[in-house]
Amino acid sequence: MKKLINLNTYFKLLLLIASATVFFFILYTSLYLYTVQEEQHFYKTTHSRYDNEVKSLFILNSRTPTATVMDVTFWDELVRFTKTKDNKWYNKYVSNEFQSYEADYIGIYDLDRKLLNKTRSSKIKSFDFIPKEMMTALYKSKFKRFYIKLPEGVVEVFGATIHPSNDPKKNKTKPSGYFFMARLLDASFFASLEDISSSKVSLAFSNQKIKAEDDFVTVGLNLKDWKNNVVSTLLFKRPFNLNYSKTKEILLIVVIASIINILIFIYYTKKWVYDPLKLIKNILETGSSNSISSLKKSKGEFGYIGNLFEENSNQRKQLEIAKQKAEESDTLKSAFLANLSHEIRTPMNAIIGFSDLLMDANLKEKEKIDYLKIIKNSGNSLVSIIEDLIEMSKIDAKQITPNYKGLDLEKCVAELYHAIKITIPKDKEIEFYIVKNPEILQGTIITDETKLKQIIVNLITNAVKFTEKGFVSFGYKINKQKELLEFTIEDSGLGISENYLKIIFDRFRRIEDNSTNDTTGLGLGLSITKAYVEMLGGEINVKSTIGFGSIFTFTIPLQFDQTINTNIQKKSISFSGNHENEIILIAEDDNINFLLLKKIIESKNHTVLRAHNGQEAVDICVENPNISLVFMDIKMPILNGFEAFEQIRAIKPELPVIAQTAYSSFEDREKILQFGFVDYITKPLDKEKIFELLDSIFMEINS
């Protein structure tokens, strides 16, 4: 100690510098080791998060094809295909829809593991690459996702057993066959994964080791075959930009610099490291959006981490929104099912209940007639509910498209007026009239006549429904400036409250208050009407006041028909026969439907023959030249109604054929008439309409 005290100032400074150098070297070494440790820890944390992110994204990427396979494999038509092996059905419903599956291969096998049919894209050349032995395991597990290595590359395969639609969980019935869908892990697949994962994606050999790189974080996903053996490894590589070199340089400067430099180092360390890490901690603990914005302003890797936190926050919000929408959808679905159950049970209760009452032998004739009227009206209500559901489902599936053609609007309005006027109940004191257009429409317009009529009929019927006394009117105006036709349906009925005006066009929503408790229906009429208006390129609006009535207005584009109409002379039907005791063939595979139609026709003293399928109908027409008329069911085995009609028309072009169908939409009716049928009847059958149809056809034949 005395020697140190006796040292001169120079040596003391040297000793102080040496001591400071040793101290700062130890400090630098300690900080350096701490930095390395933090870097390794951060790398491991990033690698772990990245690994979890990649696994989640890969599972999400396979969720859509998995859902598709599960939906397709409890399909009654597919079950039937495994038995009938009907290639026409396969081509129409599977092969033609191949692109919508977003797959490169689809194959259907029977339980004997025999390939029934397949469809593949140009990417896959291999013929039948699904391992037969794995189908035994699939029979038990119901669904498998695995990978196969082909000459074209690695293929991801989704396989599931086929069951009927009443067995969605596949635990009630035995499998009918196997359905496989595969996609090639090609450049487009990798590009899609790269977009959603912000990574470079590639395939590696199954035994290839993943090399650690300073500038990248790499994660490998093993792709396994159905035996759980690794086929290949999918590598995800993302830049890892965390760099502590500046910190190390600052620490190195501290060794050879003064205390001031240490203070500067402390300042910048706090600014560049401590503050961002504090923000990260706050974000992880509270999810503060302000902390994320501050972190994004940081330069380098912390700014990048801030962007990642923002993306993660946005994704979380989107998931919450999606969850909320899903919950709303479930609520709407539950309300719809409850409403549907109520509306179907109401007419069914009347039908079953009054049918039981009709069995009473002591029932008076007047009571029988009243009960039968109730049963018939309830049946009509039930058919109306079902037709609305079918029409709405077709609109959702976009199976309905406008059929534009020329239309004489003045004639159309007049026809609608006379057709609707006779349907207004006699007990209602309603004045029904047309509001004349001050400017007569010159020429024909281009629109879908069927849908336009349906829109007007729906709105007028709705107006009559809620009007007991007063008036119901309709008409149109021409808006040349906007090139629109503006239609108006006005009534003096009950009116609609402001609260209901907001939801009146929503599905499954009805006006329910004390004044409308007797209304029925699913609440789809105005939804269908709105869909039709928008389909024609227009808009629909409503104004209403409680107690004063409602005004519905809608528009369609004003477009004149520029085509030249040529009158084609209708080919008259000639048949040598009389008006009674005709021989009529009924082509119907259902016994109850046949018996009903037979009884109706025989009540007019006609002779009835029966064909159980389309081919039998053709044979009977060939063998029996005295047949005067054919009732042809559209949906029949062997040959359907259209196919049978084509063959009959080729043999007997003058023989009138009437289509009978359960399809009641306007598109189906137009298709039937355009195909060449003289007319059609829809199920459920209406006796009076059938009598009118027989009279008109036989009068035309005998004229």
Side-chain angles (χ1 to χ4, degrees):
M1 179 65 67
K2 290 181 180 180
K3 290 182 179 181
L4 292 175
I5 295 174
N6 293 329
L7 288 176
N8 57 29
T9 305
Y10 175 74
F11 285 103
K12 288 181 180 179
L13 289 174
L14 290 177
L15 182 60
L16 182 60
I17 292 172
S19 301
T21 302
V22 172
F23 172 77
F24 285 118
F25 178 77
I26 295 172
L27 179 62
Y28 171 79
T29 304
S30 301
L31 291 175
Y32 179 80
L33 293 175
Y34 172 77
T35 303
V36 171
Q37 183 181 0
E38 283 296 308
E39 186 175 15
Q40 292 175 349
H41 174 71
F42 194 84
Y43 180 86
K44 290 179 181 179
T45 303
T46 304
H47 185 277
S48 176
R49 290 180 180 174
Y50 185 39
D51 183 70
N52 293 334
E53 178 186 347
V54 165
K55 289 178 181 177
S56 299
L57 288 174
F58 196 68
I59 292 173
L60 184 63
N61 183 263
S62 299
R63 187 168 295 171
T64 298
T66 298
T68 300
V69 170
M70 295 305 294
D71 287 344
V72 170
T73 52
F74 52 90
W75 184 9
D76 293 337
E77 296 293 334
L78 188 58
V79 172
R80 192 175 296 113
F81 172 74
T82 61
K83 299 175 182 178
T84 63
K85 303 174 179 62
D86 185 1
N87 288 329
K88 289 184 178 179
W89 180 91
Y90 177 86
N91 292 332
K92 181 176 180 181
Y93 293 99
V94 179
S95 183
N96 289 345
E97 301 294 329
F98 179 66
Q99 291 184 348
S100 66
Y101 288 90
E102 296 182 357
D104 298 309
Y105 175 87
I106 288 178
I108 303 175
Y109 293 75
D110 60 17
L111 290 179
D112 295 328
R113 299 181 289 184
K114 180 182 178 182
L115 180 63
L116 300 180
N117 212 327
K118 69 172 190 330
T119 303
R120 56 183 176 176
S121 69
S122 58
K123 297 179 182 179
I124 296 181
K125 307 297 182 184
S126 300
F127 178 74
D128 185 8
F129 54 86
I130 305 298
K132 305 295 184 184
E133 59 270 26
M134 70 79 50
M135 296 183 192
T136 303
L138 181 59
Y139 188 91
K140 297 179 180 179
S141 65
K142 311 303 182 186
F143 174 81
K144 276 188 177 294
R145 177 167 70 94
F146 56 95
Y147 298 86
I148 300 175
K149 194 167 186 180
L150 299 178
E152 297 87 345
V154 177
V155 174
E156 185 178 26
V157 181
F158 302 85
T161 53
I162 300 171
H163 295 260
S165 61
N166 62 358
D167 186 18
K169 295 184 178 180
K170 303 185 177 182
N171 56 5
K172 299 179 183 178
T173 60
K174 293 182 179 180
S176 301
Y178 308 96
F179 182 92
F180 292 92
M181 187 173 77
R183 58 180 179 179
L184 182 64
L185 306 189
D186 57 1
S188 60
F189 177 84
F190 294 151
S192 176
L193 281 181
E194 288 175 353
D195 287 339
I196 63 175
S197 65
S198 301
S199 308
K200 180 66 178 177
V201 183
S202 62
L203 275 176
F205 297 110
S206 58
N207 57 357
Q208 181 178 337
K209 294 183 178 179
I210 301 175
K211 296 181 180 179
E213 298 179 59
D214 293 336
D215 297 330
F216 294 90
V217 56
T218 305
V219 170
L221 283 179
N222 290 330
L223 307 180
K224 299 180 179 180
D225 61 14
W226 69 277
K227 293 181 179 179
N228 212 30
N229 297 323
V230 177
V231 173
S232 184
T233 301
L234 199 60
L235 296 181
F236 291 77
K237 183 184 289 187
R238 178 182 287 175
F240 182 73
N241 298 324
L242 189 62
N243 191 346
Y244 284 83
S245 60
K246 291 184 178 180
T247 304
K248 296 172 184 177
E249 291 173 2
I250 293 173
L251 291 174
L252 182 61
I253 293 173
V254 170
V255 177
I256 60 176
S258 62
I259 301 299
I260 298 175
N261 290 333
I262 296 177
L263 296 175
I264 294 174
F265 166 73
I266 294 173
Y267 170 77
Y268 281 106
T269 301
K270 180 181 182 300
K271 180 179 180 180
W272 293 343
V273 178
Y274 177 76
D275 289 346
L277 288 176
K278 185 178 179 181
L279 289 172
I280 291 174
K281 180 182 177 182
N282 188 39
I283 292 169
L284 293 174
E285 290 178 349
T286 65
S288 171
S289 58
N290 292 331
S291 297
I292 294 175
S293 299
S294 299
L295 186 61
K296 283 179 61 181
K297 296 177 182 178
S298 302
K299 296 182 179 179
E301 59 276 2
F302 288 111
Y304 177 69
I305 293 172
N307 290 327
L308 291 179
F309 274 122
E310 185 178 51
E311 291 178 7
N312 181 266
S313 177
N314 292 336
Q315 290 174 357
R316 190 187 308 114
K317 291 178 181 178
Q318 291 175 359
L319 287 173
E320 290 174 354
I321 293 172
K323 178 185 176 184
Q324 184 179 359
K325 288 183 178 179
E327 291 173 349
E328 291 175 356
S329 177
D330 286 341
T331 303
L332 180 60
K333 185 168 132 186
S334 300
F336 160 64
L337 290 175
N339 192 20
L340 176 62
S341 175
H342 173 268
E343 294 302 333
I344 288 181
R345 286 176 183 273
T346 299
M348 285 302 299
N349 179 58
I351 293 171
I352 295 173
F354 284 99
S355 296
D356 288 339
L357 293 177
L358 284 174
M359 294 181 183
D360 186 359
N362 299 322
L363 201 63
K364 296 180 180 179
E365 190 64 26
K366 183 179 181 304
E367 291 178 327
K368 288 183 180 180
I369 294 173
D370 292 339
Y371 293 170
L372 288 172
K373 287 181 179 178
I374 293 172
I375 291 172
K376 183 176 181 181
N377 292 335
S378 298
N380 291 335
S381 298
L382 187 60
V383 171
S384 177
I385 290 170
I386 295 172
E387 286 181 346
D388 281 351
L389 281 173
I390 294 173
E391 195 71 11
M392 203 72 244
S393 65
K394 284 186 175 182
I395 292 172
D396 287 340
K398 297 183 179 179
Q399 294 179 350
I400 300 178
T401 55
N403 180 22
Y404 292 107
K405 58 183 179 181
L407 171 66
D408 185 341
L409 188 56
E410 285 291 327
K411 181 180 178 182
C412 174
V413 169
E415 290 176 351
L416 284 174
Y417 170 76
H418 293 293
I420 296 173
K421 186 176 182 180
I422 61 176
T423 64
I424 298 176
K426 302 298 183 183
D427 57 341
K428 290 195 173 188
E429 300 177 11
I430 296 177
E431 181 185 0
F432 178 55
Y433 60 90
I434 300 173
V435 178
K436 293 297 182 180
N437 181 22
E439 183 179 0
I440 301 298
L441 187 65
Q442 301 296 331
T444 59
I445 62 170
I446 292 291
T447 190
D448 187 320
E449 178 181 358
T450 302
K451 290 179 178 55
L452 178 60
K453 285 183 177 180
Q454 187 64 32
I455 293 167
I456 297 174
V457 168
N458 284 355
L459 293 176
I460 294 177
T461 304
N462 205 55
V464 172
K465 182 178 181 180
F466 293 98
T467 304
E468 294 297 327
K469 184 177 181 180
F471 71 91
V472 173
S473 67
F474 77 106
Y476 72 92
K477 295 180 181 179
I478 303 171
N479 190 332
K480 291 186 177 180
Q481 292 181 344
K482 297 182 179 180
E483 295 184 345
L484 294 173
L485 287 172
E486 299 175 349
F487 292 84
T488 302
I489 293 84
E490 185 175 358
D491 65 72
S492 60
L494 299 175
I496 306 167
S497 67
E498 187 175 350
N499 291 334
Y500 282 112
L501 284 176
K502 300 175 183 178
I503 62 168
I504 194 169
F505 294 110
D506 292 349
R507 299 180 186 182
F508 314 118
R509 303 299 293 266
R510 295 184 305 169
I511 300 175
E512 297 178 354
D513 54 31
N514 295 333
S515 61
T516 58
N517 286 335
D518 60 339
T519 60
T520 60
L522 288 176
L524 288 176
L526 288 178
S527 299
I528 294 173
T529 301
K530 183 175 184 289
Y532 279 168
V533 171
E534 293 175 349
M535 198 180 297
L536 296 181
E539 295 179 353
I540 186 169
N541 295 288
V542 58
K543 296 179 181 179
S544 185
T545 304
I546 292 292
F548 291 93
S550 305
I551 302 174
F552 284 83
T553 59
F554 71 92
T555 62
I556 61 172
L558 175 59
Q559 182 180 358
F560 288 98
D561 185 9
Q562 304 297 331
T563 59
I564 300 175
N565 294 325
T566 56
N567 293 324
I568 301 174
Q569 186 175 1
K570 183 179 179 183
K571 187 176 181 180
S572 61
I573 301 173
S574 62
F575 178 81
S576 58
N578 50 36
H579 191 42
E580 297 179 351
N581 299 320
E582 302 289 354
I583 298 176
I584 298 175
L585 172 63
I586 300 176
E588 173 63 72
D589 60 322
D590 185 81
N591 292 329
I592 295 177
N593 289 335
F594 166 74
L595 181 61
L596 176 60
L597 184 56
K598 177 175 178 290
K599 291 295 183 182
I600 293 173
I601 294 174
E602 286 182 343
S603 67
K604 287 293 185 178
N605 298 321
H606 296 302
T607 302
V608 174
L609 303 179
R610 183 185 184 183
H612 293 81
N613 56 65
Q615 183 60 56
E616 189 176 342
V618 176
D619 296 339
I620 293 175
C621 288
V622 173
E623 296 169 359
N624 195 331
N626 296 322
I627 293 176
S628 305
L629 180 64
V630 177
F631 282 89
M632 182 71 70
D633 186 25
I634 294 299
K635 189 176 182 180
M636 288 190 298
I638 304 180
L639 293 179
N640 62 37
F642 291 112
E643 295 168 340
F645 174 68
E646 279 190 324
Q647 295 191 21
I648 293 173
R649 183 167 55 179
I651 301 168
K652 293 185 175 183
E654 306 300 331
L655 180 61
V657 181
I658 299 172
Q660 51 175 331
T661 176
Y663 303 113
S664 59
S665 69
F666 289 100
E667 287 73 17
D668 294 320
R669 297 173 188 177
E670 283 191 2
K671 179 182 177 183
I672 288 171
L673 295 178
Q674 290 175 0
F675 202 80
F677 289 91
V678 296
D679 217 317
Y680 65 89
I681 56 174
T682 59
K683 300 172 185 177
L685 302 177
D686 187 316
K687 180 179 67 174
E688 297 302 325
K689 289 184 179 179
I690 294 174
F691 288 161
E692 292 178 4
L693 191 58
L694 289 173
D695 291 341
S696 64
I697 289 178
F698 286 131
M699 286 177 64
E700 183 178 355
I701 290 174
N702 292 313
S703 56

